[in-house]
Amino acid sequence: MVIRLLIPLFLLINSYSIWAFDTLSASVDKNPVLVGEYLTLTIEANGKVSGTQPDTSALAQQFVVGPMSVGSRTSIINGSMTSQTTWQMQLLARSEGTFTIPSFTVNGNTSQPITLTVVARGKDDTDQKDIFIETALTPESLYVQQAGLYKVKLYIGKDLLDGQLTSPAMNEGQITQLGKQTEEYEVVDGRRYMVITREYLIQPQKSGNFTIEAPAFNGQVRENYRRMAVSAIAEPLTVDVKAVPNDYTGDWLPSELVDLSEEWQPSDNEVTVGTPITRTMTLTAVGVTKEQLPDITMEAISGIRSYPDESDRKQLARDGRVISQLISSFALVPQTPGTYTLPEISVPWFNTVIKRLEYATLPARTITVIADVNQIATPTVPAEVPSSVIAQTPNNSASTPATVVVEQKAWYDWLILVSGYLLWIITVVIWFVRRQKPENVAAEPKKEVPEVTLKNLKKAAQLGDNTQFYAELRLYVKHQAPTLNLDTWLSQLGVAELSSEIAKLQASLYSSHEQSVDLNALYQLFEQTIKKKTMKDDKHLTQLY
């Protein structure tokens, strides 16, 4: 019973110690302080506080604010227990003047405000010589959404132990660090410095005059075996941001230079039906991000199938400029012979140097598609002229017309001619009789090439090899219809499902978009179509007989 009474009492006392305190104070470790020098703000409560902290959001309007740390301690002196809770954070003033650190409130207790004096650094300040920051923006004036390169160089003339370099800030602007910082050594006015360089991409989103708040550094260096606190801040930069011209039309692409180039593989303007062509186009622009580059598209051309590849976007900083590239590739597969003209491709952009609209252009290109020589039918050999008909042309045929002399046949010639006709009739009769009894005659061997081709086609389907399957398919069609290409042959078959599946197979080979093709199902559909076509052809021949 006693224990039950003591537990609530203990909880009450413990909870009272958590929130009960009567004073809240705030203090700084430096006052006055130099511009760009960090100071430590401490807020202290004479009690143990849990689950709450002072609101310091108002400080961000006047200072660079570091992260907040929380600590607590408890001590017992002469049987009396005391507790303290402290919150600490570092502040940095970017400009000189007199500032007020506002009061803070925790659990109903309020601290007193603090008046802080910030003093400008002297030109001969020792710390300024030991450590300083330089910044530069290229170009110095920007258009809305134009990408500028903001470079920060931190010079440290002593052994650095640790430190923190803040990022620049700008209202109505996007700031992104490019890559990782670099470290090197430079000699300035006869003194050797370690130089830390960072590059930032700055893109203003609105027109007007804006200030880029410079980064600040706070750290510790070693001097004569002692640790010394150092700090530095760069001068802020003012940038003039121009608006988009009212007469500009199209996608907004502000740049100093835009180039559009292309490569062809193969490079010849004459290609064969079914031979894939790789067209790679590269769009390069200075002063814009890779995301700003517009996609490159190609118009559909009847007779040529186009399969776009995945676009590749790149971005780098060079010679104080941001350079972006878009690389787009297309696989073009000609289907029918002829002459084709690929239309001009044009990308509009705004020249920020001469301040006018320009176009990056690829001129129209004409290609010639020829038939596959392996699919052209073999010309028939003309019949041999009978020896009985002799065209005799005398040597002086220039003035005398040619005369045809028919040789008179002797009786034995007629006997040989009649015997030949009799043998031909007997052969036809024997062939017809044997045709009526196929069970007694061995089956006529099939054409070897088509059979082997179908076997290879089936093997490629079982292996799941799309490239080999397509090659065997074209080979089979070449043997079946030497004068036709694959698309024409499929259109004559008139099987929409088969044409659709083969189109998917082509897309899987020439397009970057993943296309699922079931080769076994495609082979079965192809085999069924061939069997139906063969039965139809045999029925047609039977009707002829």
Side-chain angles (χ1 to χ4, degrees):
M1 185 66 179
V2 175
I3 295 177
R4 291 181 179 180
L5 292 175
L6 290 177
I7 291 177
L9 181 61
F10 174 78
L11 293 176
L12 179 62
I13 295 173
N14 187 59
S15 62
Y16 177 80
S17 65
I18 291 177
W19 57 265
F21 65 93
D22 52 11
T23 60
L24 183 69
S25 61
S27 62
V28 294
D29 64 337
K30 299 175 184 178
N31 195 1
V33 65
L34 294 175
V35 173
E37 182 181 13
Y38 275 93
L39 59 96
T40 301
L41 169 66
T42 302
I43 305 171
E44 184 175 31
N46 65 338
K48 191 173 182 180
V49 181
S50 177
T52 185
Q53 65 181 24
D55 182 9
T56 60
S57 58
L59 294 173
Q61 299 177 4
Q62 298 176 328
F63 304 94
V64 176
V65 181
M68 177 182 288
S69 61
V70 182
S72 62
R73 66 181 183 272
T74 302
S75 60
I76 300 176
I77 302 176
N78 297 328
S80 176
M81 182 175 67
T82 60
S83 297
Q84 290 84 29
T85 301
T86 58
W87 298 269
Q88 286 188 333
M89 59 194 311
Q90 289 188 315
L91 306 179
L92 181 145
R94 295 182 178 274
S95 59
E96 62 178 311
T98 301
F99 301 91
T100 299
I101 297 177
S103 58
F104 305 100
T105 300
V106 176
N107 292 344
N109 294 288
T110 304
S111 66
Q112 295 296 321
I114 301 173
T115 300
L116 179 68
T117 302
V118 180
V119 181
R121 290 177 178 269
K123 293 183 178 180
D124 58 347
D125 187 11
T126 303
D127 288 343
Q128 192 74 2
K129 294 179 181 179
D130 291 338
I131 180 170
F132 61 95
I133 301 174
E134 291 183 352
T135 60
L137 175 65
T138 307
E140 295 179 355
S141 178
L142 299 173
Y143 278 84
V144 172
Q145 294 184 354
Q146 182 181 358
L149 186 65
Y150 184 78
K151 181 176 288 188
V152 178
K153 300 183 75 172
L154 170 64
Y155 292 80
I156 302 175
K158 294 185 178 181
D159 293 336
L160 179 66
L161 298 177
D162 58 62
Q164 179 184 9
L165 181 63
T166 63
S167 299
M170 175 182 174
N171 292 330
E172 304 298 340
Q174 294 180 356
I175 299 181
T176 308
Q177 183 173 343
L178 296 176
K180 297 181 179 180
Q181 68 181 27
T182 61
E183 298 179 6
E184 57 186 359
Y185 288 89
E186 292 184 15
V187 176
V188 180
D189 296 332
R191 184 172 180 178
R192 186 171 180 266
Y193 289 88
M194 182 180 73
V195 182
I196 299 175
T197 304
R198 290 182 183 178
E199 292 180 328
Y200 295 88
L201 183 70
I202 293 184
Q203 278 188 293
Q205 301 302 308
K206 288 185 178 181
S207 59
N209 290 323
F210 295 94
T211 298
I212 301 176
E213 299 293 347
F217 175 78
N218 182 42
Q220 291 184 332
V221 297
R222 180 185 291 112
E223 184 178 14
N224 297 329
Y225 305 101
R226 294 185 299 112
R227 297 174 69 96
M228 291 184 56
V230 293
S231 61
I233 188 169
E235 294 293 332
L237 291 179
T238 301
V239 56
D240 177 30
V241 182
K242 299 180 179 64
V244 179
N246 295 328
D247 57 348
Y248 185 86
T249 58
D251 294 332
W252 176 240
L253 188 65
S255 176
E256 300 175 46
L257 176 66
V258 175
D259 178 70
L260 183 59
S261 60
E262 66 177 348
E263 293 181 2
W264 288 75
Q265 185 64 34
S267 58
D268 297 336
N269 288 333
E270 184 176 278
V271 295
T272 306
V273 170
T275 301
I277 307 169
T278 301
R279 186 184 190 186
T280 303
M281 291 174 282
T282 303
L283 179 63
T284 305
V286 178
V288 295
T289 62
K290 59 184 180 180
E291 291 80 12
Q292 288 179 268
L293 297 177
D295 292 329
I296 302 175
T297 58
M298 285 184 56
E299 296 181 10
I301 301 175
S302 178
I304 298 181
R305 290 185 179 177
S306 176
Y307 302 96
D309 199 354
E310 287 289 342
S311 297
D312 184 21
R313 297 176 183 267
K314 300 178 181 180
Q315 180 176 294
L316 56 89
R318 180 176 296 173
D319 298 330
R321 295 291 191 275
V322 178
I323 304 175
S324 299
Q325 273 193 342
L326 169 66
I327 302 175
S328 297
S329 296
F330 295 83
L332 308 178
V333 184
Q335 304 299 312
T336 55
T339 301
Y340 300 90
T341 299
L342 280 67
E344 175 185 275
I345 296 178
S346 182
V347 177
W349 62 286
F350 183 78
N351 192 320
T352 58
V353 178
I354 60 178
K355 298 178 175 56
R356 72 180 185 187
L357 174 66
E358 292 193 353
Y359 293 89
T361 305
L362 287 179
R365 179 162 181 163
T366 301
I367 62 173
T368 302
V369 180
I370 61 175
D372 190 347
V373 294
N374 296 322
Q375 296 182 355
I376 300 177
T378 304
T380 57
V381 180
E384 185 177 348
V385 179
S387 60
S388 58
V389 180
I390 303 175
Q392 296 181 353
T393 305
N395 293 334
N396 56 352
S397 59
S399 58
T400 308
T403 305
V404 178
V405 179
V406 181
E407 181 183 356
Q408 298 292 330
K409 295 183 180 296
W411 64 270
Y412 51 83
D413 291 329
W414 289 106
L415 179 61
I416 294 174
L417 183 62
V418 172
S419 300
Y421 277 112
L422 289 175
L423 289 174
W424 178 79
I425 293 173
I426 294 171
T427 302
V428 171
V429 171
I430 293 174
W431 174 83
F432 183 77
V433 171
R434 290 186 175 182
R435 190 172 181 274
Q436 298 299 320
K437 298 180 180 181
E439 62 275 8
N440 297 328
V441 183
E444 181 181 358
K446 297 181 180 179
K447 295 181 181 180
E448 182 178 357
V449 174
E451 180 180 356
V452 172
T453 303
L454 281 176
K455 288 182 179 179
N456 292 339
L457 196 65
K458 184 176 182 180
K459 183 178 179 180
Q462 292 173 345
L463 294 176
D465 191 337
N466 292 11
T467 303
Q468 184 64 25
F469 187 91
Y470 187 64
E472 296 294 341
L473 179 64
R474 293 186 61 191
L475 182 62
Y476 180 84
V477 174
K478 182 188 298 183
H479 286 292
Q480 292 296 315
T483 61
L484 302 178
N485 57 45
L486 177 59
D487 281 6
T488 306
W489 188 75
L490 288 172
S491 64
Q492 290 184 1
L493 286 180
V495 181
E497 184 180 1
L498 180 61
S499 299
S500 176
E501 291 300 320
I502 292 179
K504 291 181 181 179
L505 174 62
Q506 292 174 328
S508 70
L509 296 174
Y510 302 120
S511 174
S512 63
H513 303 289
E514 295 185 2
Q515 187 70 256
S516 177
V517 181
D518 188 346
L519 292 182
N520 290 318
L522 178 56
Y523 173 77
Q524 293 178 1
L525 178 61
F526 183 80
E527 186 181 32
Q528 293 174 2
T529 304
I530 294 300
K531 287 181 179 180
K532 291 180 181 179
K533 181 178 182 301
T534 304
M535 294 175 61
K536 182 178 180 181
D537 293 343
D538 290 344
K539 182 178 180 181
H540 180 67
L541 291 174
T542 303
Q543 292 175 352
L544 291 178
Y545 283 109

